[in-house]
Amino acid sequence: TLRLPTRAARSPTNASPTRPIPGNSLVPRANTTSMSLHTTALAGDAEGSALRFDEWGALDHELVNYRGAWLASFTPRLTGTLSSRQSQLRDFSGADGAPTRVDLRTEREQLVDLTLGGVGPWRVEAGAGHLRAESGQARTLEANARIDSLRLGLGHRRPSGLDLALQAREGEGRYPDGSGPDFHDRQIDLALQLPLHAAWAFDARLGQFQRRHDTQAARDFDGAVGRAR
């Protein structure tokens, strides 16, 4: 796990713009130079593993999983996050119960998020993302897919720490391997975060997810989604 400390950088400012110049009777023209505060931080973790077999070399494989994020504060009200992750899963396949090959599924996702603080506890959220999934052996409808999406949300944080956010996401997807038609995603979520202790918090999300394909309506989905942890 890598975490770099926050670094703050301030632009230079004019100190006492009306102070007389030493040794000169002239007084410089009054002027102001705005001061901006930029804070940045990096965080991430990575994990790698390699599995080797003495007698079944065809099953040798490696797994690499990572997450990384760059956080920035452009103004006291405007913050942003640029993040990337990779997740790999493995599965063995073969005949008569004997594995003869390794199938890997790899998901890569890049996200850009911006948050603008509004009046009081309110905030506006916006973001864009790209998801890419690849599988050695296609066993699900999303084994090989590309999804580009945009997200917009409105959040509210109570003095108690309770945080609520209403978020809407629109996505356009395709199957590069030609296994299915292009599709359109639409999702609306209500997210909740509740601090329970200094080191514990309850995080839940409940929403409605809809996917519509250009053709092959049997692939369409419309239903409730959620998680709690």
Side-chain angles (χ1 to χ4, degrees), residues 1-194:
T1 301
L2 171 66
R3 295 185 182 279
L4 299 182
T6 300
R7 175 178 61 84
R10 297 175 183 270
S11 61
T13 58
N14 288 346
S16 184
T18 58
R19 180 188 304 169
I21 299 176
N24 195 321
S25 60
L26 296 178
V27 177
R29 181 182 303 172
N31 61 76
T32 59
T33 302
S34 62
M35 180 180 67
S36 60
L37 174 65
H38 307 279
T39 60
T40 61
L42 292 173
D45 59 75
E47 178 185 54
S49 61
L51 192 61
R52 297 292 182 264
F53 293 84
D54 292 337
E55 300 181 3
W56 297 290
L59 301 182
D60 294 349
H61 64 276
E62 300 81 27
L63 296 176
V64 177
N65 297 282
Y66 64 80
R67 295 178 302 171
W70 174 70
L71 303 90
S73 178
F74 306 105
T75 72
R77 295 176 56 189
L78 180 62
T79 61
T81 303
L82 176 64
S83 61
S84 178
R85 71 169 180 89
Q86 175 174 292
S87 176
Q88 285 191 315
L89 301 173
R90 71 166 182 224
D91 192 13
F92 296 103
S93 62
D96 300 326
T100 58
R101 58 173 291 175
V102 178
D103 298 323
L104 295 181
R105 173 178 172 83
T106 303
E107 284 190 2
R108 298 184 180 93
E109 186 175 26
Q110 293 80 40
L111 298 172
V112 178
D113 292 292
L114 293 174
T115 301
L116 177 63
V119 179
W122 295 95
R123 68 181 185 278
V124 177
E125 303 171 344
H130 174 74
L131 175 65
R132 177 176 179 174
E134 297 176 331
S135 300
Q137 181 70 21
R139 300 184 180 180
T140 65
L141 297 179
E142 291 186 334
N144 295 283
R146 308 287 188 273
I147 304 175
D148 296 307
S149 59
L150 296 175
R151 180 178 60 84
L152 186 64
L154 179 65
H156 183 274
R157 180 182 291 273
R158 302 289 298 171
S160 62
L162 173 65
D163 190 281
L164 295 172
L166 182 64
Q167 301 172 343
R169 183 182 69 87
E170 295 279 339
E172 298 292 336
R174 60 188 179 88
Y175 303 100
D177 59 357
S179 60
D182 294 350
F183 56 88
H184 175 78
D185 289 347
R186 176 171 295 172
Q187 184 172 348
I188 298 179
D189 288 330
L190 178 63
L192 177 147
Q193 291 183 343
L194 177 63

